[in-house]
Amino acid sequence: MSKSEVRPLRRSQQLREQIEERIVTGVYQPGTRLDEQDLAASFGVSRTPVREALIQLAAGGLIDLRPRRGAIIPETSAERLYEMFEVMAELEAMCGRLAARRIRPDELERLQAAHRACAAAHDAGDPDRYYLLNEAFHEHVYTASHNGFLGEQAAALHLRLRPYRRLQLRVRDRMGASFQEHMEIIEAIAAGDGERAAAALRAHIVIQGERFTDLVATLRQLNAQDKPAAAALR
Amino acid sequence: MSKSEVRPLRRSQQLREQIEERIVTGVYQPGTRLDEQDLAASFGVSRTPVREALIQLAAGGLIDLRPRRGAIIPETSAERLYEMFEVMAELEAMCGRLAARRIRPDELERLQAAHRACAAAHDAGDPDRYYLLNEAFHEHVYTASHNGFLGEQAAALHLRLRPYRRLQLRVRDRMGASFQEHMEIIEAIAAGDGERAAAALRAHIVIQGERFTDLVATLRQLNAQDKPAAAALR
DNA sequence: TGATGTGATCTTGTATACAATCTATCGCCG
DNA sequence: CGGCGATAGATTGTATACAAGATCACATCA
């Protein structure tokens, strides 16, 4: 929203980010058809940059762009969701394995600082704040892997799973459990134990039977009460 | 090139594929600036679909699209290349691990058929044909993982690494070694041994010290004799 | 002689106009 | 009364026009 455009970022880039945000936060629901003209009008630009933004989103898999049929937000099936989490778990595990071997002292320091920040949010019982700081924690692990490409891929998928990840905090005492798991992850990385770090991060991603079922159940609950899902996600 | 357009594929989609092909096969060299007007003229369309194609390529990381500076093909550093292969190895390993547990009899049959086809090309000493069939072999492994999302990610990265993978066959008796490795992969998958399949696939990707150094060396050799690289890659 | 500033030209980014195709409504026929 | 087809409206895809910024060359000055 800040109009301080010191660096003239490409218009379609900004648009992509804004539309992305609305999809990821659930303002635009799955199944919604995004009308180019409406978007153009609502953002005060012509259709051209809107189209370019949509193409970028389609390339990232966030929307489904079928020829002559327009852009629709795909309804992510439970199966598809499971697949994505399965990959996410492995990418995180890989980051952890590499980080345990490659992390620098200053990076470890920053990771621990991020963990302490999470601790504060946890103690304060503030899930929203915890959610935010959790993102930072994971970002630090990605960086510590010292594989830039891997970090980008992990961050991209992380973003795409954001709505579901957030949802997950609604499950009873997920925050506490998550915090415990972070502890284990840090310890493994600090100890330079790659396999243990990988295992800890893999376990940290919600794909194991119960947790994933919880997630899907919560999702169905939200969908059942048709529209409020957007508000609930925000 | 076939004009049998029964299904009206989007124009920018076709363009993306064609430009992608030229990048991946080395017709357009790293460092090249892709001029929108030139591309439009050479494909006989206006700048609009060309731009849309470029945006897609940029989203996939195949080109670098900087605001007001145009599209340039990034010079992939050895470090970056190593990072990408490191991720590729892990994705392949994951496919193998899952495939060992989930492959169906008919899929295993097809995988073995693909392997036999590779054998024929190997015996005939035809690296070009082997290269092509090798792609099919890996595609079968992706499918057998029964994780559609993973399969897509793996295929996308596979495509992006295509030029280098191809280059690698120039190394002495790489084809023979590759073939041996396929054998081991198939055996592990058929035996349902996920960890062994994962290890075999991880080892199959050229990132280990010597092989990777060979690759980079070959690359430098080609770059040294400036332009012929394109021809050599094709 | 080299560096810096200014202007011309070229390229990208955005808007608008037009063409092609898809959807939906209405009417017709069984 | 229901199903099918044609036409009108709307929406996407492509082309073109115009605006804004970047590059490069040239000239001027130290």
Side-chain angles (χ1 to χ4, degrees):
Chain A
M1 283 290 164
S2 71
K3 275 285 172 209
S4 60
E5 306 178 43
V6 275
R7 203 240 244 118
L9 191 60
R10 192 189 280 98
R11 206 92 181 91
S12 73
Q13 207 75 359
Q14 292 177 238
L15 284 174
R16 181 188 59 75
E17 282 173 21
Q18 294 186 56
I19 300 174
E20 189 170 87
E21 186 68 16
R22 293 194 188 178
I23 295 173
V24 154
T25 55
V27 176
Y28 296 148
Q29 290 285 302
T32 307
R33 224 178 74 94
L34 298 179
D35 187 274
E36 293 180 2
Q37 299 194 103
D38 290 353
L39 285 173
S42 88
F43 285 111
V45 295
S46 80
R47 275 178 53 222
T48 311
V50 171
R51 278 182 66 81
E52 300 194 342
L54 291 179
I55 288 169
Q56 289 179 61
L57 291 170
L62 231 82
I63 64 173
D64 210 14
L65 205 53
R66 306 223 319 267
R68 297 263 173 211
R69 310 284 299 272
I72 62 167
I73 304 177
E75 328 230 7
T76 309
S77 68
E79 186 191 344
R80 183 81 176 172
L81 205 55
Y82 183 86
E83 291 178 355
M84 289 167 74
F85 270 108
E86 200 167 49
V87 173
M88 184 81 246
E90 209 57 42
L91 287 182
E92 296 261 359
M94 185 179 174
C95 286
R97 189 183 319 114
L98 295 178
R101 296 208 311 258
R102 303 177 180 173
I103 197 166
R104 292 194 315 249
D106 60 308
E107 288 173 338
L108 181 58
E109 184 47 54
R110 275 196 285 274
L111 183 62
Q112 285 166 333
H115 184 231
R116 281 194 297 273
C118 281
H122 171 246
D123 292 343
D126 186 344
D128 284 339
R129 188 163 173 67
Y130 183 85
Y131 170 78
L132 211 72
L133 294 167
N134 175 56
E135 306 251 295
F137 178 85
H138 282 271
E139 193 67 48
H140 279 295
V141 177
Y142 302 160
T143 306
S145 77
H146 282 271
N147 181 324
F149 181 74
L150 173 61
E152 288 166 25
Q153 297 294 113
L157 186 49
H158 189 102
L159 175 70
R160 202 156 151 201
L161 291 175
R162 220 173 108 185
Y164 308 103
R165 205 180 279 269
R166 179 137 205 186
L167 210 53
Q168 162 200 354
L169 282 179
R170 296 162 63 92
V171 173
R172 222 170 103 72
D173 196 35
R174 176 71 195 119
M175 187 166 57
S178 168
F179 180 69
Q180 290 289 337
E181 289 160 13
H182 281 195
M183 197 116 75
E184 163 73 5
I185 291 163
I186 283 216
E187 269 179 35
I189 290 178
D193 188 339
E195 286 316 314
R196 194 173 135 214
L201 270 156
R202 202 179 278 121
H204 183 53
I205 309 303
V206 274
I207 47 159
Q208 300 86 338
E210 285 185 14
R211 279 205 208 148
F212 187 73
T213 327
D214 286 349
L215 176 61
V216 173
T218 313
L219 210 63
R220 283 202 202 293
Q221 242 175 290
L222 286 175
N223 282 342
Q225 52 198 73
D226 38 328
K227 281 291 127 188
L233 273 166
R234 293 201 307 109
Chain B
M1 282 291 160
S2 73
K3 275 283 170 209
S4 60
E5 305 179 45
V6 275
R7 203 241 243 116
L9 192 59
R10 191 188 279 99
R11 204 94 182 92
S12 72
Q13 206 75 0
Q14 292 176 238
L15 284 174
R16 181 188 59 75
E17 283 173 21
Q18 294 186 56
I19 300 173
E20 189 170 86
E21 186 67 17
R22 293 195 189 177
I23 295 173
V24 153
T25 56
V27 176
Y28 297 148
Q29 289 286 302
T32 307
R33 224 179 74 94
L34 298 179
D35 187 273
E36 293 179 1
Q37 299 193 100
D38 290 352
L39 286 172
S42 89
F43 285 112
V45 296
S46 80
R47 275 178 52 222
T48 310
V50 170
R51 277 183 66 82
E52 300 194 341
L54 291 179
I55 288 169
Q56 290 178 61
L57 290 171
L62 231 82
I63 64 173
D64 211 14
L65 205 52
R66 307 233 305 277
R68 296 264 173 209
R69 311 284 298 273
I72 62 168
I73 303 178
E75 328 230 7
T76 309
S77 68
E79 187 191 345
R80 183 79 176 172
L81 204 55
Y82 182 86
E83 291 179 355
M84 290 168 73
F85 270 107
E86 200 167 48
V87 173
M88 185 82 247
E90 210 57 43
L91 288 182
E92 295 260 0
M94 185 178 173
C95 287
R97 189 183 318 114
L98 295 178
R101 294 209 311 260
R102 302 177 180 174
I103 197 166
R104 291 194 316 248
D106 60 309
E107 288 172 339
L108 181 59
E109 184 46 55
R110 275 196 284 275
L111 182 63
Q112 285 166 332
H115 184 232
R116 281 193 297 273
C118 282
H122 171 247
D123 292 344
D126 186 344
D128 284 339
R129 186 161 174 69
Y130 182 85
Y131 170 77
L132 211 71
L133 294 167
N134 175 56
E135 305 251 296
F137 179 85
H138 282 271
E139 192 67 48
H140 280 295
V141 177
Y142 301 160
T143 305
S145 77
H146 283 271
N147 181 324
F149 182 73
L150 173 62
E152 289 165 25
Q153 298 294 112
L157 185 50
H158 189 101
L159 175 69
R160 202 157 150 200
L161 291 174
R162 221 174 108 184
Y164 308 103
R165 206 180 276 270
R166 180 137 206 185
L167 210 53
Q168 163 201 353
L169 282 179
R170 295 162 63 93
V171 173
R172 224 171 101 73
D173 196 34
R174 177 68 196 122
M175 186 165 58
S178 168
F179 180 69
Q180 291 288 336
E181 289 159 14
H182 280 197
M183 197 115 75
E184 163 73 5
I185 291 163
I186 282 219
E187 269 179 35
I189 290 178
D193 188 339
E195 286 315 314
R196 194 173 136 215
L201 271 155
R202 201 179 280 120
H204 182 52
I205 308 303
V206 274
I207 48 161
Q208 300 86 338
E210 285 185 16
R211 279 205 208 149
F212 187 73
T213 326
D214 286 350
L215 176 61
V216 173
T218 313
L219 212 62
R220 285 201 200 295
Q221 241 174 292
L222 286 175
N223 283 343
Q225 52 197 73
D226 37 329
K227 281 292 127 187
L233 273 166
R234 293 200 307 108

